[in-house]
Amino acid sequence: MLRVLRVNVSTDVISFDPVPKAWERVAGRALIARVLLDEVPPECDPCGPHNKLIFAPGVLVGQMVSSCDRLSIGGKSPLTGGVKESNCGGSTGLHIVWLGLKAILVEGSPAAGAALRLLCIGPDSAHFEECSDVLGLGVHETTQRLRSRFGTKVSIAMIGPAGEMRLRGAGIMHLDKDGNPGRISARGAMGVLMAAKGLKAVIIDPGKTRRPALADAPRHNAARKLYVKALAEHPQTSKIYPEYGTASIVDMCNGFGAIPTRNFSNGRFEHAEKINGDAFHDLMVGRGGEGDPTHACMAGCTIQCSNIYADVNGKQIVSPVEYETIGLVGSNLGISEPDMIAHLNYQMNDLGLDTIETGAALGVAAEAGLMEWGDGLRAMQLMEEVRKGTALGRVIGNGAKLAGEVLGVQRVPVVKGQAISAYDPRAIKGTGVTYATSPQGADHTAGLTLRMPVDHLKPEGQVAASRTAQIRMAGFDSLGACIFGAFGFNLAPTTIQDLVNGQHGWDVGADYLTELGKATIDLEREFNRRAGFTPADDRLPEWMTLEALAPNNTVFDVPAAEMDAIYNW
Amino acid sequence: MQSTTGERISVTIKLHSVLRTLETTEPRSRVLLELAPGSTVATVVATLKIPEMDIVYVLNESVVESNALLHAGDTLALIPALEGGCCAQRVKTEVQPINTVLNIRRMS
Ligand code: SF4
């Protein structure tokens, strides 16, 4: 029987509670929205005592079904002021379920001036520990020290210096299956929320616990087999993702004229071929050593879209390098050297920063004249400013919106205060609808329409495309399934209900994913409405409707009235 | 311009990611093809025996469909498509069926 771990950082009372009835059949992203509506006053200060930091593994988590052990972390976002679910791979979610926990809720506020602590969770126990030896340290050094203190079997969810400084670009970093802190709950300043709860890290020690028993093992096992077979048969999940990873999206987006270039001033990057999937792949293979284009972020993932990027001597720089980082930290800054992108990625990871938010903020800074386009060394210096906590560093570390306000830049790519990811919405308009309308703020993972059967440059059909994508994504985020697993589920759709029912003994039907997705979005919108959001918040920045994007010379022109009707199911 | 003389046209094909190791060519990222006038993107796909998969075609500077006509001197990039799986996959397969609940269209 799963339980909810409540940790009150005002009183230090820790309790393992039964799961409330209304929460039993929701998990992951859906559960976060449910908890927020049930227990968090929508108008509260995101960094105050009434907000909650929520860890909620998805419905399928715990069984090591390929790519289905993802964790949702959420709360009221210090960046957007609205609902937030930030999704990550790695081992944290898996171990939370192995400990028999449906969710971890961190409540209250620590005493003023109290030092950050560790929350250590093991089988049937949880306690706080002091951690003065890691305060102020980067994520990599913190990882090393915590692993030598707690052992190499634990999962760690931690913040870096950026989170400690409460910079709103800060996420929560996690270990991958090899103990490398390269996975991040990146979006929406969850690192700030963790700092506001007085925590530097949460240590999850699974001890001798293992997968929970299945309600209907034959059904679950049969579905797992079918799903993994489908993944193995699909060319994208059997070949392209494993060998090339998301970096391959560079060519696609460049072809569509949608790759962010020099602070979203162009949709085509003239040096795209230097930073595309082929370039990264060939460097990883050619340099040998620790570099590897095929890597799994979590145990049991057969897709292995992740990678390890090494330098000329074969020594790891960072793992992984993903398309979003290449787009925001590469082309968006005019940077065309893979090594430089990898080094910047490492620095951002070490600071515990979201590369999307930070890349967008650097783009705004470059537009303000604080760096030349393509000057990676200057970008590195600006990361040093963040680390030192200088005023300039804090401006950039707080994300694109604040950087634009302080630096007087109008071309700021944000929605609901959150940076747009690496698909310019003027050339992939359905994704623009997602950015505009999603309760999460601008986020491609809320509903990417890149391969929807629509003309991306026309306004027609975009709302429908975005609606479909958003429902599916909200469903997958609640299942705890990596979206790349969708290729397998698409080929063998009955496996979703069979996995869910086989694991939990429920009786969900064929439309479970859709229903879960819709219900999740409904709950999220209701929280945002109560928090004061209106249709005016469901818009792209006005300049994107006025300033045509080369090379297609299109503006974002999906009618507002259509977007306002997107959730009329 | 389209050739009207019946002479073959020469088109540069850029192959990306997994298409760089086609059975019909040595491992390479560029191939120069001599094609009959009136050839389309689909002709290239057939000529190179491109395996069935979702591909984005970029002809010179624009994304086109497989029926786009090719002209002498064109550059055609074949990019195996990737995305997060938000929409239905476009590859034909025996494993059946796409999630009809969501009314997602199957593409070829
Ligand atoms: S497909 Fe990639 S992101 Fe998804 S679980 Fe596997 S390695 Fe992680």
Side-chain angles (χ1 to χ4, degrees), chain A residues 233 236 241 244 251-252 268 273 278 282 451 472 483 491 493 514, chain B residues 14 16-17 20 54 61 81-84 86 90 93 95-97 102:
Chain A
E233 285 175 358
Q236 294 198 334
Y241 272 111
Y244 289 86
D251 288 316
M252 274 178 78
R268 192 156 283 160
E273 292 200 356
D278 298 354
D282 294 352
R451 295 311 289 148
R472 284 177 70 76
I483 189 56
L491 291 183
T514 315
Chain B
K14 284 160 77 176
H16 287 277
S17 76
R20 297 188 301 168
D54 182 13
E61 293 282 277
L82 278 183
E83 72 118 61
C86 290
R90 292 181 170 211
T93 168
V95 189
Q96 279 299 326
L102 293 169

PDB file of all heavy atoms in Angstrom, chain A residues 233 236 241 244 251-252 268 273 278 282 451 472 483 491 493 514, chain B residues 14 16-17 20 54 61 81-84 86 90 93 95-97 102:
ATOM      1  N   GLU A 233      10.924  -2.201 -32.782  1.00  0.00           N
ATOM      2  CA  GLU A 233      10.589  -2.256 -34.207  1.00  0.00           C
ATOM      3  C   GLU A 233      10.463  -0.879 -34.837  1.00  0.00           C
ATOM      4  O   GLU A 233      10.489  -0.747 -36.053  1.00  0.00           O
ATOM      5  CB  GLU A 233       9.266  -3.023 -34.385  1.00  0.00           C
ATOM      6  CG  GLU A 233       9.453  -4.511 -34.217  1.00  0.00           C
ATOM      7  CD  GLU A 233       8.142  -5.272 -34.257  1.00  0.00           C
ATOM      8  OE1 GLU A 233       7.077  -4.639 -34.384  1.00  0.00           O
ATOM      9  OE2 GLU A 233       8.200  -6.507 -34.146  1.00  0.00           O
ATOM     10  N   GLN A 236      12.476   5.021 -35.200  1.00  0.00           N
ATOM     11  CA  GLN A 236      12.939   6.155 -34.396  1.00  0.00           C
ATOM     12  C   GLN A 236      13.514   5.701 -33.061  1.00  0.00           C
ATOM     13  O   GLN A 236      14.554   6.193 -32.626  1.00  0.00           O
ATOM     14  CB  GLN A 236      11.795   7.140 -34.181  1.00  0.00           C
ATOM     15  CG  GLN A 236      11.362   7.792 -35.498  1.00  0.00           C
ATOM     16  CD  GLN A 236      10.573   9.056 -35.298  1.00  0.00           C
ATOM     17  OE1 GLN A 236       9.942   9.230 -34.274  1.00  0.00           O
ATOM     18  NE2 GLN A 236      10.587   9.929 -36.281  1.00  0.00           N
ATOM     19  N   TYR A 241      16.960   7.648 -32.369  1.00  0.00           N
ATOM     20  CA  TYR A 241      17.189   8.180 -31.022  1.00  0.00           C
ATOM     21  C   TYR A 241      18.421   7.565 -30.364  1.00  0.00           C
ATOM     22  O   TYR A 241      19.244   8.282 -29.795  1.00  0.00           O
ATOM     23  CB  TYR A 241      15.957   8.005 -30.127  1.00  0.00           C
ATOM     24  CG  TYR A 241      14.996   9.160 -30.249  1.00  0.00           C
ATOM     25  CD1 TYR A 241      13.760   9.007 -30.840  1.00  0.00           C
ATOM     26  CD2 TYR A 241      15.347  10.425 -29.775  1.00  0.00           C
ATOM     27  CE1 TYR A 241      12.883  10.075 -30.972  1.00  0.00           C
ATOM     28  CE2 TYR A 241      14.478  11.488 -29.897  1.00  0.00           C
ATOM     29  CZ  TYR A 241      13.250  11.308 -30.495  1.00  0.00           C
ATOM     30  OH  TYR A 241      12.391  12.373 -30.621  1.00  0.00           O
ATOM     31  N   TYR A 244      21.569   8.922 -32.560  1.00  0.00           N
ATOM     32  CA  TYR A 244      21.747  10.351 -32.788  1.00  0.00           C
ATOM     33  C   TYR A 244      21.128  11.235 -31.714  1.00  0.00           C
ATOM     34  O   TYR A 244      21.507  12.387 -31.568  1.00  0.00           O
ATOM     35  CB  TYR A 244      21.206  10.726 -34.172  1.00  0.00           C
ATOM     36  CG  TYR A 244      22.093  10.192 -35.264  1.00  0.00           C
ATOM     37  CD1 TYR A 244      21.923   8.905 -35.751  1.00  0.00           C
ATOM     38  CD2 TYR A 244      23.145  10.950 -35.761  1.00  0.00           C
ATOM     39  CE1 TYR A 244      22.760   8.385 -36.712  1.00  0.00           C
ATOM     40  CE2 TYR A 244      23.990  10.443 -36.732  1.00  0.00           C
ATOM     41  CZ  TYR A 244      23.795   9.157 -37.203  1.00  0.00           C
ATOM     42  OH  TYR A 244      24.639   8.656 -38.153  1.00  0.00           O
ATOM     43  N   ASP A 251      18.639  19.731 -37.555  1.00  0.00           N
ATOM     44  CA  ASP A 251      18.424  19.812 -39.005  1.00  0.00           C
ATOM     45  C   ASP A 251      16.957  20.029 -39.345  1.00  0.00           C
ATOM     46  O   ASP A 251      16.614  20.807 -40.238  1.00  0.00           O
ATOM     47  CB  ASP A 251      18.907  18.526 -39.683  1.00  0.00           C
ATOM     48  CG  ASP A 251      20.421  18.441 -39.684  1.00  0.00           C
ATOM     49  OD1 ASP A 251      21.070  19.462 -39.977  1.00  0.00           O
ATOM     50  OD2 ASP A 251      20.947  17.359 -39.384  1.00  0.00           O
ATOM     51  N   MET A 252      16.095  19.314 -38.619  1.00  0.00           N
ATOM     52  CA  MET A 252      14.662  19.478 -38.877  1.00  0.00           C
ATOM     53  C   MET A 252      14.220  20.909 -38.623  1.00  0.00           C
ATOM     54  O   MET A 252      13.568  21.544 -39.439  1.00  0.00           O
ATOM     55  CB  MET A 252      13.861  18.580 -37.931  1.00  0.00           C
ATOM     56  CG  MET A 252      13.659  17.183 -38.409  1.00  0.00           C
ATOM     57  SD  MET A 252      12.752  16.286 -37.149  1.00  0.00           S
ATOM     58  CE  MET A 252      11.097  16.874 -37.440  1.00  0.00           C
ATOM     59  N   ARG A 268      16.717  30.397 -39.048  1.00  0.00           N
ATOM     60  CA  ARG A 268      17.697  29.521 -39.704  1.00  0.00           C
ATOM     61  C   ARG A 268      19.093  29.932 -39.270  1.00  0.00           C
ATOM     62  O   ARG A 268      19.419  31.124 -39.284  1.00  0.00           O
ATOM     63  CB  ARG A 268      17.547  29.613 -41.221  1.00  0.00           C
ATOM     64  CG  ARG A 268      18.315  28.542 -41.946  1.00  0.00           C
ATOM     65  CD  ARG A 268      17.737  28.265 -43.318  1.00  0.00           C
ATOM     66  NE  ARG A 268      16.512  27.458 -43.277  1.00  0.00           N
ATOM     67  CZ  ARG A 268      15.630  27.393 -44.261  1.00  0.00           C
ATOM     68  NH1 ARG A 268      15.803  28.100 -45.352  1.00  0.00           N
ATOM     69  NH2 ARG A 268      14.566  26.629 -44.153  1.00  0.00           N
ATOM     70  N   GLU A 273      24.967  23.001 -39.572  1.00  0.00           N
ATOM     71  CA  GLU A 273      25.613  21.704 -39.814  1.00  0.00           C
ATOM     72  C   GLU A 273      26.810  21.461 -38.897  1.00  0.00           C
ATOM     73  O   GLU A 273      27.289  20.336 -38.782  1.00  0.00           O
ATOM     74  CB  GLU A 273      26.016  21.581 -41.284  1.00  0.00           C
ATOM     75  CG  GLU A 273      24.780  21.480 -42.165  1.00  0.00           C
ATOM     76  CD  GLU A 273      25.027  20.880 -43.531  1.00  0.00           C
ATOM     77  OE1 GLU A 273      26.201  20.602 -43.860  1.00  0.00           O
ATOM     78  OE2 GLU A 273      24.045  20.715 -44.274  1.00  0.00           O
ATOM     79  N   ASP A 278      24.489  14.977 -36.614  1.00  0.00           N
ATOM     80  CA  ASP A 278      25.601  14.273 -37.251  1.00  0.00           C
ATOM     81  C   ASP A 278      26.930  14.749 -36.673  1.00  0.00           C
ATOM     82  O   ASP A 278      27.838  13.950 -36.417  1.00  0.00           O
ATOM     83  CB  ASP A 278      25.586  14.531 -38.768  1.00  0.00           C
ATOM     84  CG  ASP A 278      24.311  13.993 -39.415  1.00  0.00           C
ATOM     85  OD1 ASP A 278      23.523  13.344 -38.702  1.00  0.00           O
ATOM     86  OD2 ASP A 278      24.113  14.241 -40.612  1.00  0.00           O
ATOM     87  N   ASP A 282      29.372  12.273 -34.707  1.00  0.00           N
ATOM     88  CA  ASP A 282      30.694  11.936 -35.229  1.00  0.00           C
ATOM     89  C   ASP A 282      31.793  12.301 -34.227  1.00  0.00           C
ATOM     90  O   ASP A 282      32.798  11.596 -34.123  1.00  0.00           O
ATOM     91  CB  ASP A 282      30.917  12.638 -36.572  1.00  0.00           C
ATOM     92  CG  ASP A 282      29.963  12.088 -37.639  1.00  0.00           C
ATOM     93  OD1 ASP A 282      29.267  11.083 -37.354  1.00  0.00           O
ATOM     94  OD2 ASP A 282      29.893  12.672 -38.743  1.00  0.00           O
ATOM     95  N   ARG A 451       5.584  17.133 -35.748  1.00  0.00           N
ATOM     96  CA  ARG A 451       5.216  16.155 -36.776  1.00  0.00           C
ATOM     97  C   ARG A 451       3.706  15.996 -36.906  1.00  0.00           C
ATOM     98  O   ARG A 451       3.221  14.985 -37.434  1.00  0.00           O
ATOM     99  CB  ARG A 451       5.866  14.789 -36.478  1.00  0.00           C
ATOM    100  CG  ARG A 451       7.366  14.805 -36.548  1.00  0.00           C
ATOM    101  CD  ARG A 451       7.908  15.455 -37.816  1.00  0.00           C
ATOM    102  NE  ARG A 451       7.724  14.694 -39.037  1.00  0.00           N
ATOM    103  CZ  ARG A 451       7.537  15.269 -40.231  1.00  0.00           C
ATOM    104  NH1 ARG A 451       7.447  16.572 -40.357  1.00  0.00           N
ATOM    105  NH2 ARG A 451       7.403  14.514 -41.297  1.00  0.00           N
ATOM    106  N   ARG A 472      -2.090  14.529 -24.894  1.00  0.00           N
ATOM    107  CA  ARG A 472      -1.186  13.366 -24.836  1.00  0.00           C
ATOM    108  C   ARG A 472      -0.040  13.602 -23.853  1.00  0.00           C
ATOM    109  O   ARG A 472       0.305  12.732 -23.054  1.00  0.00           O
ATOM    110  CB  ARG A 472      -0.617  13.055 -26.223  1.00  0.00           C
ATOM    111  CG  ARG A 472      -1.606  12.375 -27.136  1.00  0.00           C
ATOM    112  CD  ARG A 472      -1.018  12.152 -28.505  1.00  0.00           C
ATOM    113  NE  ARG A 472       0.030  11.133 -28.538  1.00  0.00           N
ATOM    114  CZ  ARG A 472      -0.202   9.825 -28.481  1.00  0.00           C
ATOM    115  NH1 ARG A 472      -1.430   9.373 -28.354  1.00  0.00           N
ATOM    116  NH2 ARG A 472       0.794   8.958 -28.549  1.00  0.00           N
ATOM    117  N   ILE A 483       8.251  10.703 -23.134  1.00  0.00           N
ATOM    118  CA  ILE A 483       7.490  10.911 -24.357  1.00  0.00           C
ATOM    119  C   ILE A 483       8.048  10.086 -25.519  1.00  0.00           C
ATOM    120  O   ILE A 483       7.324   9.724 -26.434  1.00  0.00           O
ATOM    121  CB  ILE A 483       7.413  12.417 -24.718  1.00  0.00           C
ATOM    122  CG1 ILE A 483       6.431  12.652 -25.863  1.00  0.00           C
ATOM    123  CG2 ILE A 483       8.782  12.980 -25.037  1.00  0.00           C
ATOM    124  CD1 ILE A 483       5.041  12.151 -25.626  1.00  0.00           C
ATOM    125  N   LEU A 491       2.346   2.254 -31.391  1.00  0.00           N
ATOM    126  CA  LEU A 491       2.277   1.012 -32.158  1.00  0.00           C
ATOM    127  C   LEU A 491       1.466  -0.054 -31.435  1.00  0.00           C
ATOM    128  O   LEU A 491       0.891  -0.935 -32.055  1.00  0.00           O
ATOM    129  CB  LEU A 491       3.690   0.469 -32.410  1.00  0.00           C
ATOM    130  CG  LEU A 491       4.587   1.265 -33.353  1.00  0.00           C
ATOM    131  CD1 LEU A 491       5.901   0.546 -33.553  1.00  0.00           C
ATOM    132  CD2 LEU A 491       3.917   1.478 -34.695  1.00  0.00           C
ATOM    133  N   PRO A 493      -1.120   0.370 -28.672  1.00  0.00           N
ATOM    134  CA  PRO A 493      -1.827   1.265 -27.749  1.00  0.00           C
ATOM    135  C   PRO A 493      -2.506   0.572 -26.568  1.00  0.00           C
ATOM    136  O   PRO A 493      -2.681   1.181 -25.529  1.00  0.00           O
ATOM    137  CB  PRO A 493      -2.856   1.967 -28.634  1.00  0.00           C
ATOM    138  CG  PRO A 493      -2.918   1.204 -29.888  1.00  0.00           C
ATOM    139  CD  PRO A 493      -1.657   0.443 -30.040  1.00  0.00           C
ATOM    140  N   THR A 514      -6.174   9.732 -22.642  1.00  0.00           N
ATOM    141  CA  THR A 514      -6.886  10.956 -22.989  1.00  0.00           C
ATOM    142  C   THR A 514      -7.580  11.554 -21.774  1.00  0.00           C
ATOM    143  O   THR A 514      -7.500  12.763 -21.526  1.00  0.00           O
ATOM    144  CB  THR A 514      -7.971  10.655 -24.046  1.00  0.00           C
ATOM    145  OG1 THR A 514      -7.397   9.828 -25.032  1.00  0.00           O
ATOM    146  CG2 THR A 514      -8.496  11.919 -24.673  1.00  0.00           C
TER     147      THR A 514
ATOM    148  N   LYS B  14      21.582  15.556 -49.810  1.00  0.00           N
ATOM    149  CA  LYS B  14      22.254  15.543 -48.499  1.00  0.00           C
ATOM    150  C   LYS B  14      21.545  14.534 -47.608  1.00  0.00           C
ATOM    151  O   LYS B  14      20.338  14.617 -47.416  1.00  0.00           O
ATOM    152  CB  LYS B  14      22.216  16.936 -47.862  1.00  0.00           C
ATOM    153  CG  LYS B  14      23.222  17.883 -48.520  1.00  0.00           C
ATOM    154  CD  LYS B  14      22.896  19.312 -48.273  1.00  0.00           C
ATOM    155  CE  LYS B  14      23.272  19.769 -46.892  1.00  0.00           C
ATOM    156  NZ  LYS B  14      23.016  21.231 -46.729  1.00  0.00           N
ATOM    157  N   HIS B  16      21.130  12.705 -43.948  1.00  0.00           N
ATOM    158  CA  HIS B  16      21.390  12.990 -42.533  1.00  0.00           C
ATOM    159  C   HIS B  16      21.207  11.757 -41.657  1.00  0.00           C
ATOM    160  O   HIS B  16      20.471  10.834 -42.004  1.00  0.00           O
ATOM    161  CB  HIS B  16      20.458  14.101 -42.041  1.00  0.00           C
ATOM    162  CG  HIS B  16      20.844  15.453 -42.571  1.00  0.00           C
ATOM    163  ND1 HIS B  16      21.816  16.233 -41.998  1.00  0.00           N
ATOM    164  CD2 HIS B  16      20.406  16.147 -43.647  1.00  0.00           C
ATOM    165  CE1 HIS B  16      21.939  17.360 -42.676  1.00  0.00           C
ATOM    166  NE2 HIS B  16      21.096  17.335 -43.685  1.00  0.00           N
ATOM    167  N   SER B  17      21.834  11.797 -40.533  1.00  0.00           N
ATOM    168  CA  SER B  17      21.807  10.774 -39.471  1.00  0.00           C
ATOM    169  C   SER B  17      21.823   9.358 -40.048  1.00  0.00           C
ATOM    170  O   SER B  17      22.735   9.016 -40.801  1.00  0.00           O
ATOM    171  CB  SER B  17      20.669  11.045 -38.479  1.00  0.00           C
ATOM    172  OG  SER B  17      19.410  10.695 -38.961  1.00  0.00           O
ATOM    173  N   ARG B  20      22.918   8.267 -43.600  1.00  0.00           N
ATOM    174  CA  ARG B  20      24.303   8.351 -44.084  1.00  0.00           C
ATOM    175  C   ARG B  20      24.895   6.962 -44.329  1.00  0.00           C
ATOM    176  O   ARG B  20      25.933   6.844 -44.953  1.00  0.00           O
ATOM    177  CB  ARG B  20      25.170   9.117 -43.086  1.00  0.00           C
ATOM    178  CG  ARG B  20      24.717  10.569 -42.927  1.00  0.00           C
ATOM    179  CD  ARG B  20      25.691  11.362 -42.100  1.00  0.00           C
ATOM    180  NE  ARG B  20      25.860  10.815 -40.767  1.00  0.00           N
ATOM    181  CZ  ARG B  20      26.809  11.182 -39.920  1.00  0.00           C
ATOM    182  NH1 ARG B  20      27.688  12.094 -40.290  1.00  0.00           N
ATOM    183  NH2 ARG B  20      26.887  10.659 -38.721  1.00  0.00           N
ATOM    184  N   ASP B  54       9.718   8.146 -41.398  1.00  0.00           N
ATOM    185  CA  ASP B  54       9.241   9.527 -41.478  1.00  0.00           C
ATOM    186  C   ASP B  54      10.423  10.441 -41.810  1.00  0.00           C
ATOM    187  O   ASP B  54      11.385  10.503 -41.051  1.00  0.00           O
ATOM    188  CB  ASP B  54       8.621   9.890 -40.122  1.00  0.00           C
ATOM    189  CG  ASP B  54       8.041  11.278 -40.106  1.00  0.00           C
ATOM    190  OD1 ASP B  54       7.889  11.882 -41.185  1.00  0.00           O
ATOM    191  OD2 ASP B  54       7.736  11.756 -38.997  1.00  0.00           O
ATOM    192  N   GLU B  61      15.853  25.705 -49.824  1.00  0.00           N
ATOM    193  CA  GLU B  61      15.622  26.346 -48.526  1.00  0.00           C
ATOM    194  C   GLU B  61      14.274  26.005 -47.906  1.00  0.00           C
ATOM    195  O   GLU B  61      13.959  26.505 -46.836  1.00  0.00           O
ATOM    196  CB  GLU B  61      15.707  27.878 -48.683  1.00  0.00           C
ATOM    197  CG  GLU B  61      17.074  28.401 -49.038  1.00  0.00           C
ATOM    198  CD  GLU B  61      18.009  28.439 -47.832  1.00  0.00           C
ATOM    199  OE1 GLU B  61      17.951  29.392 -47.063  1.00  0.00           O
ATOM    200  OE2 GLU B  61      18.789  27.471 -47.656  1.00  0.00           O
ATOM    201  N   ALA B  81      12.979  12.196 -39.525  1.00  0.00           N
ATOM    202  CA  ALA B  81      12.270  13.056 -38.573  1.00  0.00           C
ATOM    203  C   ALA B  81      12.396  12.529 -37.156  1.00  0.00           C
ATOM    204  O   ALA B  81      12.477  11.333 -36.920  1.00  0.00           O
ATOM    205  CB  ALA B  81      10.800  13.128 -38.964  1.00  0.00           C
ATOM    206  N   LEU B  82      12.430  13.446 -36.255  1.00  0.00           N
ATOM    207  CA  LEU B  82      12.428  13.132 -34.836  1.00  0.00           C
ATOM    208  C   LEU B  82      11.478  14.084 -34.171  1.00  0.00           C
ATOM    209  O   LEU B  82      11.324  15.216 -34.584  1.00  0.00           O
ATOM    210  CB  LEU B  82      13.806  13.377 -34.225  1.00  0.00           C
ATOM    211  CG  LEU B  82      14.855  12.300 -34.374  1.00  0.00           C
ATOM    212  CD1 LEU B  82      16.091  12.727 -33.626  1.00  0.00           C
ATOM    213  CD2 LEU B  82      14.357  10.988 -33.822  1.00  0.00           C
ATOM    214  N   GLU B  83      10.879  13.632 -33.138  1.00  0.00           N
ATOM    215  CA  GLU B  83      10.175  14.525 -32.253  1.00  0.00           C
ATOM    216  C   GLU B  83       9.758  13.734 -31.050  1.00  0.00           C
ATOM    217  O   GLU B  83       9.996  12.535 -30.973  1.00  0.00           O
ATOM    218  CB  GLU B  83       8.975  15.198 -32.920  1.00  0.00           C
ATOM    219  CG  GLU B  83       7.803  14.301 -33.178  1.00  0.00           C
ATOM    220  CD  GLU B  83       6.587  14.759 -32.428  1.00  0.00           C
ATOM    221  OE1 GLU B  83       6.127  15.864 -32.671  1.00  0.00           O
ATOM    222  OE2 GLU B  83       6.096  13.989 -31.587  1.00  0.00           O
ATOM    223  N   GLY B  84       9.183  14.431 -30.115  1.00  0.00           N
ATOM    224  CA  GLY B  84       8.919  13.785 -28.847  1.00  0.00           C
ATOM    225  C   GLY B  84       7.797  12.773 -28.843  1.00  0.00           C
ATOM    226  O   GLY B  84       7.503  12.213 -27.797  1.00  0.00           O
ATOM    227  N   CYS B  86       4.625  13.385 -29.540  1.00  0.00           N
ATOM    228  CA  CYS B  86       3.333  13.966 -29.159  1.00  0.00           C
ATOM    229  C   CYS B  86       2.241  13.580 -30.136  1.00  0.00           C
ATOM    230  O   CYS B  86       1.076  13.515 -29.787  1.00  0.00           O
ATOM    231  CB  CYS B  86       3.408  15.485 -29.116  1.00  0.00           C
ATOM    232  SG  CYS B  86       4.383  16.099 -27.762  1.00  0.00           S
ATOM    233  N   ARG B  90       4.540   8.330 -38.041  1.00  0.00           N
ATOM    234  CA  ARG B  90       4.126   8.347 -39.440  1.00  0.00           C
ATOM    235  C   ARG B  90       4.571   7.120 -40.222  1.00  0.00           C
ATOM    236  O   ARG B  90       4.369   7.055 -41.413  1.00  0.00           O
ATOM    237  CB  ARG B  90       4.729   9.588 -40.108  1.00  0.00           C
ATOM    238  CG  ARG B  90       4.128  10.866 -39.604  1.00  0.00           C
ATOM    239  CD  ARG B  90       4.736  12.034 -40.320  1.00  0.00           C
ATOM    240  NE  ARG B  90       3.995  13.230 -39.991  1.00  0.00           N
ATOM    241  CZ  ARG B  90       3.850  14.256 -40.815  1.00  0.00           C
ATOM    242  NH1 ARG B  90       4.393  14.227 -42.000  1.00  0.00           N
ATOM    243  NH2 ARG B  90       3.174  15.304 -40.441  1.00  0.00           N
ATOM    244  N   THR B  93       3.386   0.292 -40.411  1.00  0.00           N
ATOM    245  CA  THR B  93       3.889  -0.850 -39.657  1.00  0.00           C
ATOM    246  C   THR B  93       2.809  -1.903 -39.543  1.00  0.00           C
ATOM    247  O   THR B  93       1.633  -1.641 -39.752  1.00  0.00           O
ATOM    248  CB  THR B  93       4.326  -0.402 -38.253  1.00  0.00           C
ATOM    249  OG1 THR B  93       4.539  -1.573 -37.491  1.00  0.00           O
ATOM    250  CG2 THR B  93       3.286   0.431 -37.564  1.00  0.00           C
ATOM    251  N   VAL B  95       2.231  -3.454 -36.745  1.00  0.00           N
ATOM    252  CA  VAL B  95       1.834  -3.679 -35.351  1.00  0.00           C
ATOM    253  C   VAL B  95       0.489  -3.085 -34.975  1.00  0.00           C
ATOM    254  O   VAL B  95      -0.040  -3.412 -33.947  1.00  0.00           O
ATOM    255  CB  VAL B  95       2.947  -3.224 -34.367  1.00  0.00           C
ATOM    256  CG1 VAL B  95       2.635  -3.660 -32.937  1.00  0.00           C
ATOM    257  CG2 VAL B  95       4.270  -3.823 -34.776  1.00  0.00           C
ATOM    258  N   GLN B  96      -0.105  -2.209 -35.782  1.00  0.00           N
ATOM    259  CA  GLN B  96      -1.508  -1.823 -35.543  1.00  0.00           C
ATOM    260  C   GLN B  96      -1.846  -1.339 -34.140  1.00  0.00           C
ATOM    261  O   GLN B  96      -1.187  -1.740 -33.203  1.00  0.00           O
ATOM    262  CB  GLN B  96      -2.437  -2.986 -35.830  1.00  0.00           C
ATOM    263  CG  GLN B  96      -2.751  -3.187 -37.277  1.00  0.00           C
ATOM    264  CD  GLN B  96      -3.456  -2.029 -37.950  1.00  0.00           C
ATOM    265  OE1 GLN B  96      -4.262  -1.318 -37.369  1.00  0.00           O
ATOM    266  NE2 GLN B  96      -3.103  -1.806 -39.197  1.00  0.00           N
ATOM    267  N   PRO B  97      -2.963  -0.742 -33.914  1.00  0.00           N
ATOM    268  CA  PRO B  97      -3.326   0.408 -34.715  1.00  0.00           C
ATOM    269  C   PRO B  97      -2.919   1.665 -33.962  1.00  0.00           C
ATOM    270  O   PRO B  97      -2.548   1.565 -32.785  1.00  0.00           O
ATOM    271  CB  PRO B  97      -4.844   0.315 -34.789  1.00  0.00           C
ATOM    272  CG  PRO B  97      -5.232  -0.306 -33.474  1.00  0.00           C
ATOM    273  CD  PRO B  97      -4.054  -1.113 -32.992  1.00  0.00           C
ATOM    274  N   LEU B 102      -7.787   9.174 -29.768  1.00  0.00           N
ATOM    275  CA  LEU B 102      -7.397  10.578 -29.887  1.00  0.00           C
ATOM    276  C   LEU B 102      -7.614  11.107 -31.295  1.00  0.00           C
ATOM    277  O   LEU B 102      -7.275  12.238 -31.599  1.00  0.00           O
ATOM    278  CB  LEU B 102      -5.930  10.736 -29.493  1.00  0.00           C
ATOM    279  CG  LEU B 102      -5.695  10.455 -28.015  1.00  0.00           C
ATOM    280  CD1 LEU B 102      -4.220  10.359 -27.734  1.00  0.00           C
ATOM    281  CD2 LEU B 102      -6.316  11.540 -27.165  1.00  0.00           C
TER     282      LEU B 102
END
